[in-house]
């Protein structure tokens, strides 16, 4: 019987880690050493989706799947778990968390599904004797993503602003506190950092209330700035002068022209 593609991938991974004939690089890796590659592959998947590079997406998803297979191989070698155990657990979790699909519970809206999901997760945390709804949010998440998850968790138990105006007022309050430290007679970097953290956290909260993922919004902002700055650089080159030979006012004119050109496209 011919191997399935998944069986082939698992066998390739096993061969790469073979003590005698495997790849020296793959044999040298452990759980900790491949984490950076896993994060990189996840971001490459996100990048392909954001660029709508659908022809690239299968390859990027394959790279990410390989990371999962790598962890499973490492665990199998240590007698901890294997790929089958990972798939069994996710199947069980998805079935248990979707009773409206796999049992007789009736949930008719996305909001009802979300509330039920959070209740199920709360029950799981209680079973693990986790005393805070924040206990299982990974500290290693990107800061914007972690802030968003923290805010969603506390909102699920009623700790949230009632309306958008209150959220916006908090952003303005945090800006004032940043500027108070920035304009202090003696600047203290740690205090400014604390206030900037509060401001960023408040902005993430505003983003959440507007239904926008902050990490994705900032990536879009980064891309937009990069496109416009590249246009500024090109306009500077077209002028025959180096960027550093331009005044800030001249560069601002280029920037505004880049914005207008982008809006026309």
């Amino acid at each position: 019987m011919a191997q399935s593609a998944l069986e082939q991938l698992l066998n390739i991974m096993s061969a790469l880690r073979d003590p005698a004939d495997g790849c020296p690089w793959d044999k040298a890796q452990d759980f900790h050493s491949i984490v950076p590659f896993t994060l990189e592959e996840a971001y490459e998947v996100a990048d392909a989706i954001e660029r709508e590079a659908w022809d690239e997406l299968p390859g990027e998803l394959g790279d990410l799947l390989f990371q999962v297979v790598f962890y499973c191989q490492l665990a199998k070698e240590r007698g901890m778990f294997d790929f089958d155990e990972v798939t069994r657990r996710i199947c069980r979790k998805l079935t248990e968390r979707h009773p409206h699909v796999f049992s007789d519970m009736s949930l008719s809206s996305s909001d009802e599904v979300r509330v039920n999901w959070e209740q199920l997760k709360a029950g799981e945390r209680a079973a693990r004797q986790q005393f805070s709804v924040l206990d299982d949010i990974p500290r290693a998440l990107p800061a914007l993503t972690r802030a968003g998850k923290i805010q969603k968790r506390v909102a699920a138990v009623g700790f949230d602003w009632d309306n958008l105006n209150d959220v916006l007022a908090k952003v303005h309050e945090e800006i004032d506190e940043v500027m108070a430290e920035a304009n202090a007679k003696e600047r203290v970097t740690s205090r400014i950092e604390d206030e900037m953290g509060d401001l960023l956290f408040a902005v993430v909260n505003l983003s959440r209330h507007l239904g926008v993922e902050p990490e994705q919004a900032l990536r879009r902002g980064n891309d937009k700035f990069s496109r416009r700055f590249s246009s500024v650089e090109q306009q500077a080159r077209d002028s025959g002068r180096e960027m550093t030979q331009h005044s800030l006012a001249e560069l601002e004119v280029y920037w505004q022209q880049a914005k207008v050109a982008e809006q026309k496209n």
Side-chain angles (χ1 to χ4, degrees):
M1 182 181 296
Q3 286 185 334
S4 69
L6 182 54
E7 288 173 330
Q8 184 181 7
L9 177 58
L10 293 171
N11 288 334
I12 288 172
M13 183 71 257
S14 179
L16 290 173
R17 290 280 298 178
D18 184 86
D21 302 318
C23 169
W25 186 89
D26 289 280
K27 290 192 295 182
Q29 303 312 306
D30 59 27
F31 284 107
H32 299 284
S33 67
I34 62 173
V35 166
F37 301 102
T38 307
L39 297 174
E40 180 180 336
E41 299 300 351
Y43 279 117
E44 289 182 3
V45 167
D47 178 66
I49 292 172
E50 288 178 359
R51 291 186 291 108
E52 298 188 353
W54 308 124
D55 58 325
E56 298 177 21
L57 188 55
E60 299 299 350
L61 288 170
D63 291 340
L64 185 57
L65 175 60
F66 178 71
Q67 297 298 305
V68 176
V69 169
F70 208 141
Y71 289 116
C72 291
Q73 177 65 30
L74 292 171
K76 182 179 179 180
E77 293 169 2
R78 292 159 176 76
M80 298 161 59
F81 58 83
D82 59 10
F83 187 83
D84 284 346
E85 176 63 18
V86 170
T87 54
R88 280 194 296 270
R89 289 195 186 191
I90 188 60
C91 288
R92 183 170 65 248
K93 179 186 291 186
L94 291 173
T95 301
E96 291 174 349
R97 291 190 179 177
H98 292 82
H100 53 293
V101 176
F102 300 106
S103 70
D104 56 1
M105 178 179 283
S106 177
L107 299 173
S108 58
S109 70
S110 295
D111 285 341
E112 289 179 349
V113 171
R114 178 184 56 78
V115 170
N116 185 65
W117 180 281
E118 291 298 338
Q119 289 174 344
L120 290 169
K121 291 181 69 174
E124 293 169 4
R125 285 193 292 270
R128 295 194 298 267
Q129 294 187 324
Q130 290 179 304
F131 300 106
S132 171
V133 297
L134 307 180
D135 282 348
D136 60 347
I137 298 178
R139 295 181 61 84
L141 283 173
L144 287 180
T145 300
R146 185 164 181 256
K149 288 186 76 69
I150 288 172
Q151 291 167 7
K152 288 177 183 177
R153 287 285 180 85
V154 300
V157 295
F159 194 77
D160 198 10
W161 298 107
D162 292 330
N163 62 74
L164 190 61
N165 288 334
D166 289 338
V167 178
L168 186 59
K170 186 63 175 177
V171 172
H172 288 302
E173 176 187 324
E174 298 299 349
I175 291 173
D176 290 341
E177 292 181 3
V178 168
M179 295 311 299
E181 290 296 339
N183 293 325
K185 186 174 182 180
E186 182 179 349
R187 284 190 179 182
V188 180
T189 301
S190 61
R191 292 180 184 171
I192 295 176
E193 187 177 73
D194 283 344
E195 298 301 342
M196 280 299 305
D198 292 343
L199 172 58
L200 290 170
F201 194 85
V203 171
V204 170
N205 204 24
L206 176 61
S207 180
R208 180 178 63 86
H209 276 262
L210 292 171
V212 173
E213 287 295 328
E215 194 80 26
Q216 182 173 345
L218 185 54
R219 285 199 297 269
R220 287 172 63 93
N222 289 339
D223 290 342
K224 182 192 297 183
F225 180 90
S226 298
R227 288 194 307 272
R228 292 177 179 176
F229 187 75
S230 293
S231 175
V232 170
E233 290 178 308
Q234 184 60 53
Q235 292 178 75
R237 285 192 292 269
D238 292 344
S239 75
R241 290 181 291 154
E242 299 291 332
M243 284 274 292
T244 53
Q245 295 175 323
H246 288 74
S247 68
L248 183 57
E250 290 174 312
L251 295 176
E252 176 62 22
V253 170
Y254 293 159
W255 180 266
Q256 294 301 324
Q257 290 173 347
K259 287 180 63 176
V260 170
E262 191 172 78
Q263 290 164 358
K264 288 181 179 178
N265 294 331

